[in-house]
Amino acid sequence: MSYSKIIIISRLFSGLHESIKNGNWAPTGIPAFVKLAEQLVKTKELTWLISCKTEGESEIVGNKFLHLNIDQYNIFVIPYLNILHFSKLNSLLNNLITIFYCIYFTIKTKKKLFYFDRSNIKTAAFVKLILRQYVVIRILGLYPGQKKLVSNPISRFRRISEYYAYRVKYDLAVCTQDGSGIEFYLDRLLSKKTPSVVLLNGVERHKFNFYKKNKDYLSLLFVGTLTESKGIIDLIDALSLIKKANIHFKATIIGKGDLEEHIQKTIFNRDLVDYVKLIGIVEHKKIFSYYEEADIYISLNKLGNLSNTVLESMTLGKCVIMLGKDPTDFTDVFTEKFVPTDKVNFINRENIVDNLVNVLVHLHENYSLVSEYSSQMKKFADENFWTWDERIGYEIKLLEGILNKKN
């Protein structure tokens, strides 16, 4: 594999915005992609083709085609060209330009492997069927739209090209187990001839300090995109109620998103300024100080609660509150089976705000439980999670296996 080339094709993830804008490699998210690239670039020829899929992504690069060399990373950026009257036509144009680059890379390099994210699945199908290249598709958990392709005939008909793009026989599908229910849909989404693996993300091992009560308030932490699906509105509603109940707390919210301005106004209007601190984006290497300071980590992700941030909080032995399962679409069914109920606080999705308030009040009144949950969670994480080096090393071996095929 030392003489081969890996070509990553993805959208412009929010975690790459600052790196692309400033020309310095300082990603703030998507560790599964970033850490894989960081390992590959040490010994392989790596190209990262970023295809902007929205006007917002394209604005980050000034709506321009870019070729950047950031550290050791050879990066091409394709803007989203909003020049046609219909969004579907603009998306088609974006896909055609991405395909053109793939053809260029195919001609230029003999031994190569294309590695696609889900937003470029149609291009992946073209590269596999027409260009006959090695193709790996990367599925970072399962979104509602992907579930509908499997379960909703109308959605499947309306997005027939996307559906059949998933049905192509690829060399490998690498999927993240994030609690989204991927294990219940994967066989019906992909071709049965496509080998697939569903992997929990890795964690970084840090020196652990057991929880000690050294303050008279609950220290809460939320890390995630500020969108409705991540539960940020439910969180603010719950914090408003525990403030009225005279529960002493300090909450730190790390992240950006569409609801950032709305959340800032809500914090001000509800007189939560002295209780809730909205941080914005924090570099990954700096974020662990916030975890250490927190007593309780809260995850209200309606799409799945085994995200990177939750795994990090568990590894650091936090007392964790998270949503329980949704049996209607299998969200967090795996999570509840995997994480014992005596090590985490699952809350019912029927009434998230009131249920979260009840758990926070109970923990405030029984502070010793925070310490118990903390130590139990640390032990569970040590026994059940693998490190990022182990996780990425496993995936690289899979890629090597594909490139070393005789045929």
Side-chain angles (χ1 to χ4, degrees), residues 10 13 54 71 87 119 167 175 182 267 279 317-318 332 358:
S10 76
F13 297 112
T54 65
D71 293 341
S87 60
S119 72
R167 303 294 295 176
C175 314
I182 192 168
I267 290 171
I279 300 293
K318 297 292 101 175
D332 285 318
N358 291 336

Side-chain angles (χ1 to χ4, degrees), residues 248-260:
H248 298 291
F249 73 94
K250 298 285 184 182
T252 300
I253 298 173
I254 297 175
K256 284 185 173 292
D258 296 338
L259 294 178
E260 182 177 1

Side-chain angles (χ1 to χ4, degrees), residues 6-10 32-33 36 40 48-49 113-117 124 134-140 172 174 391 395 399:
I6 306 294
I7 302 162
I8 295 176
I9 296 95
S10 76
F33 262 83
L36 177 65
L40 291 173
W48 197 325
L49 177 62
L113 182 147
F114 288 87
Y115 188 100
F116 287 89
D117 74 346
Y134 292 130
V135 173
V136 173
I137 58 171
R138 186 69 171 85
I139 302 177
L140 298 168
L172 179 66
V174 181
R391 162 65 184 80
E395 185 169 353
L399 302 185

Side-chain angles (χ1 to χ4, degrees), residues 25-50:
W25 189 250
T28 57
I30 54 163
F33 262 83
V34 168
K35 291 182 181 297
L36 177 65
E38 289 174 345
Q39 287 299 317
L40 291 173
V41 80
K42 292 178 181 178
T43 57
K44 316 316 188 269
E45 187 180 354
L46 177 68
T47 296
W48 197 325
L49 177 62
I50 296 173

